[in-house]
Amino acid sequence: MGERIHGRVVTPAGVIAHGYLETAGDRIAAVGPAGTGAPRRPPTGWLVPGFVDLHCHGGGGHSFVDGDPAAARAAAAYHRGHGTTTLLASLVTAPVAALAAATRALGPLVDAGVLAGLHYEGPYLARARRGAHDPAHLRDPAEAELRSLLALVPGAVRMVTLAPELPGAAAAIELLAGAGVVPAIGHTAASYAQTRAAVAAGARVATHLFNGMPPVHHRQPGPVAALLTAPEVVCELIADGVHLDDGALALAVAAAGPDRTALVTDAIAAAG
């Protein structure tokens, strides 16, 4: 048996101020205005599509990083309980053997629909902008290494973040794009020109824009300006009130627009 839930309903066409959502089993059967049979008091809740998180390392005390399938299921369930129905599991800079092991272990969860895919955040990152990534395992992109990782569980790896100024980065971006994997730019000290060249080669996502990047300078606009003004690029933003000031968020959304803005959690196991 299904049920009917009333509230403010967000649809592609706009917000239905007083609407309903009706389910049938585990599917949405209907969405529309509440009509005459609706409760008279104004709805207090919102009904929105499931959230999509492109960048998440874990949550609820569980991590994707260790490549433990049980922990990955628990982390995904934690975020699903907060409305995230589509989730990339982000791994971090690590030795190739560790990335390979995590890919083999979590790949079946992609096939099962628990995860939408895997995201390698590193190891091809700039040392000067590495953030919390272990410098001992940072390295330049290597095509043979990438090919071997992507071949472990075909279709499991969906996005790879790298710094486009590194030797071999341009070839790696072309390889990834050709394989149907989204190349993302992040943890980078690249110039404006280097970043735009990476976009031309196939990069399509800015990994947590502003964070892990040099600030914009009027004579050295750098990666932030290059990514914000590239119409092909989706810009991740961590809108937690800590990683970015509200003014930076306003600037990014004004420049990129809602269609190129992706709010991400970048959550770790400690979230929740």
Side-chain angles (χ1 to χ4, degrees), residues 15-45:
V15 176
I16 303 175
H18 193 171
Y20 74 91
L21 180 149
E22 191 173 284
T23 62
D26 61 354
R27 294 290 186 268
I28 296 172
V31 175
T36 56
R40 292 187 178 277
R41 60 185 178 82
T44 57

Side-chain angles (χ1 to χ4, degrees), residues 124 140-143 146 162-176:
Y124 314 124
D140 295 337
E143 289 187 68
L146 261 178
L162 48 75
E165 71 273 22
L166 296 177
I173 289 171
E174 292 178 0
L175 185 161
L176 291 167

Side-chain angles (χ1 to χ4, degrees), residues 238-246 249:
I238 308 175
D240 60 358
V242 177
H243 283 78
L244 296 176
D245 183 85
D246 285 353
L249 280 172

